[in-house]
Amino acid sequence: MSIGFMGIQFGFALQNANTSRIFSTLGANPDEIPILWVAAPLTGLLVQPIIGYMSDRTWHPKWGRRRPFFFAGAILATIALIAMPQSSVLWMAGAILWMMDASINVSMEPFRAFVGDMLPKEQRTTGFSVQTFFIGVGAMIASGLPSILDYFGVQNTAPEGIVPDTVRWSFYIGAFAYFACILWTILKTEEYPPEDMEEFQREKDEMNFMHGVKETVNGLFKMPKVMKQLAVVQFFSWFSLFCMWIFTTNAVTKNIFGTSDTSSEIYNEGANFVGICFLVYNGVSMVFALFLPSLAKVFGRKLTHLICLTAGGLGLISIMFVTSKYALLPSFIGIGLAWASILAMPYAMLSGSLPANKMGYYMGVFNFFIVIPQVIASLGLPKFMKLVQLEPIHIVTLGGVLMILGGLFTLRVDDND
């Protein structure tokens, strides 16, 4: 099943590393980019809880519980990945981002529940860490694709308003990888049937869209205590990540490469190097994920998460003081440690407090605390930047401070399976 995570992360990594670049190429100003990104978190806010609810109540003798959603999401995400770099105007890119993020979420949310379904509690920390390893593999390759293609002679610049060929072909390759990895997982894994088929059938008969919406809203008021405690950690962690994904390209190209001209060779060289930086943090995350279970046994999951988020926060803050491109790489090593933990530790701590028959549903509700900070960032940061005259590099630094704050809130979590 980890191969599927690798494919999904191809899509997410291409989106995170290149969407701001595409928006800038199509004429967006830096303070307009967060608004254009709002489609992604809003989509997750709506899609993931409903998909989690529906996948809990789905069972097919051949397809299983989660795999139908893997497949549907893969088809739609593949189409969106192919369409995204062909955008010719901003509204088109924004609309395709909405479709792409919704499609990826249709695959992603059942995958998180899949780990909880298939593994006993004592193996879940290891399971989520192995998942993080394969996420790192996919993201590392995807983040570096524009630079790799540039090295092999694919055109890295284009006329004003046109997406360069290195970015176009990266998305095409990512679309193929996404679909192939999901298909491999569907064909090579089997799922366990519900333990109580009669009770499962009763819940399935109740399933409809409005009931799912109602249950999702009610879920916010019926969250387990551990989920409420982790919600604060997630809020600050993902706000900081969103600051990084939105503004790193503009911050690095302006502050280190010295240009905001999206059609220039130096800008596209800088944008490619941001992809290399993202490759570094995903590569570090991939390797570090293998050591997370051992660290969690020694220090506990809470302290391990605090240490990692602090390393990531310091990495983001340090970007403001960097003056050469290669000096950026140590900053992204720290971010890689945080990313590995963000993808594993909160879910490992949460899964032990959830009922097995509502794993997908609660994982979907938990996603609120990933997407709500991103919605707030998308809507609030443009006004905030204008109000106090902030540059993209300042928002990246703010993200580092909030990541450390999220780490401190981890100490409040009751981490008991």
Side-chain angles (χ1 to χ4, degrees):
M1 61 183 165
S2 296
I3 298 296
F5 277 113
M6 184 170 70
I8 289 172
Q9 199 57 34
F10 252 94
F12 267 129
L14 287 168
Q15 173 183 299
N16 293 338
N18 296 286
T19 299
S20 289
R21 179 179 184 177
I22 291 172
F23 287 156
S24 295
T25 298
L26 297 176
N29 295 321
D31 59 357
E32 295 174 330
I33 289 175
I35 294 291
L36 294 166
W37 267 90
V38 75
L42 278 178
T43 302
L45 188 67
L46 298 171
V47 170
Q48 287 209 16
I50 300 299
I51 293 299
Y53 167 86
M54 292 175 65
S55 68
D56 283 339
R57 290 161 175 77
T58 297
W59 180 256
H60 188 277
K62 291 184 178 180
W63 284 85
R65 172 177 289 175
R66 316 291 181 187
R67 288 180 292 169
F69 299 92
F70 301 166
F71 188 66
I75 292 174
L76 294 172
T78 299
I79 294 170
L81 285 165
I82 293 171
M84 184 64 172
Q86 300 184 55
S87 301
S88 56
V89 290
L90 273 174
W91 68 262
M92 182 179 178
I96 294 173
L97 174 62
W98 196 298
M99 174 185 173
M100 182 165 59
D101 203 83
S103 305
I104 294 173
N105 276 305
V106 170
S107 296
M108 185 65 182
E109 182 51 41
F111 254 108
R112 295 210 184 279
F114 197 34
V115 175
D117 292 341
M118 303 296 284
L119 297 177
K121 290 180 180 179
E122 64 271 14
Q123 294 182 11
R124 285 177 186 163
T125 300
T126 300
F128 283 110
S129 296
V130 171
Q131 163 195 312
T132 301
F133 173 83
F134 281 94
I135 285 174
V137 173
M140 186 173 67
I141 297 170
S143 298
L145 272 177
S147 291
I148 295 169
L149 293 173
D150 182 28
Y151 177 79
F152 285 102
V154 179
Q155 189 67 33
N156 191 47
T157 58
E160 186 175 352
I162 303 296
V163 177
D165 285 346
T166 50
V167 177
R168 288 176 180 272
W169 280 100
S170 294
F171 274 81
Y172 302 155
I173 294 168
F176 173 80
Y178 191 112
F179 189 80
C181 290
I182 293 290
L183 187 62
W184 174 272
T185 297
I186 291 170
L187 296 175
K188 295 295 182 178
T189 57
E190 295 184 9
E191 296 184 70
Y192 303 131
E195 293 182 3
D196 187 340
M197 187 61 75
E198 185 175 327
E199 173 66 15
F200 172 80
Q201 189 61 47
R202 185 188 66 78
E203 292 186 353
K204 183 179 179 181
D205 292 341
E206 294 177 353
M207 185 179 75
N208 58 65
F209 180 79
M210 289 310 299
H211 188 264
V213 172
K214 181 181 177 181
E215 283 288 298
T216 297
V217 173
N218 288 339
L220 288 172
F221 302 98
K222 299 178 181 178
M223 292 186 295
K225 182 180 179 181
V226 172
M227 184 185 287
K228 293 177 183 178
Q229 295 167 335
L230 284 167
V232 182
V233 180
Q234 292 291 86
F235 181 92
F236 289 113
S237 301
W238 285 88
F239 194 106
S240 65
L241 288 170
F242 206 59
C243 290
M244 178 185 73
W245 290 330
I246 293 177
F247 288 111
T248 299
T249 297
N250 293 93
V252 168
T253 52
K254 183 174 182 180
N255 286 65
I256 297 177
F257 286 80
T259 183
S260 298
D261 180 4
T262 59
S263 62
S264 68
E265 184 176 348
I266 190 69
Y267 174 91
N268 285 286
E269 179 188 341
N272 276 4
F273 195 79
V274 171
I276 295 298
C277 292
F278 280 28
L279 180 154
V280 168
Y281 91 72
N282 282 296
V284 170
S285 168
M286 174 188 72
V287 175
F288 185 63
L290 301 176
F291 299 94
L292 274 174
S294 299
L295 289 173
K297 286 181 180 180
V298 174
F299 298 107
R301 291 185 289 207
K302 293 194 298 183
L303 186 55
T304 298
H305 199 46
L306 168 59
I307 293 168
C308 293
L309 290 184
T310 301
L314 293 174
L316 284 171
I317 292 169
S318 68
I319 294 173
M320 187 171 186
F321 304 99
V322 170
T323 56
S324 67
K325 65 179 185 179
Y326 292 111
L328 278 171
L329 300 182
S331 300
F332 282 86
I333 291 174
I335 295 167
L337 302 181
W339 182 232
S341 192
I342 288 169
L343 292 174
M345 288 297 116
Y347 298 98
M349 288 187 273
L350 176 65
S351 61
S353 68
L354 301 180
N357 66 328
K358 291 190 175 182
M359 186 73 70
Y361 163 68
Y362 274 117
M363 286 290 184
V365 173
F366 191 52
N367 186 63
F368 280 166
F369 305 104
I370 294 175
V371 299
I372 288 173
Q374 296 179 46
V375 172
I376 293 172
S378 296
L379 299 178
L381 284 176
K383 294 180 180 179
F384 183 59
M385 291 175 71
K386 287 183 178 180
L387 182 65
V388 293
Q389 297 294 304
L390 294 181
E391 296 288 334
I393 189 65
H394 300 132
I395 302 301
V396 174
T397 304
L398 172 65
V401 173
L402 295 179
M403 185 171 284
I404 294 172
L405 185 59
L408 292 172
F409 273 103
T410 306
L411 298 176
R412 299 175 60 252
V413 177
D414 296 331
D415 182 22
N416 298 304
D417 282 334

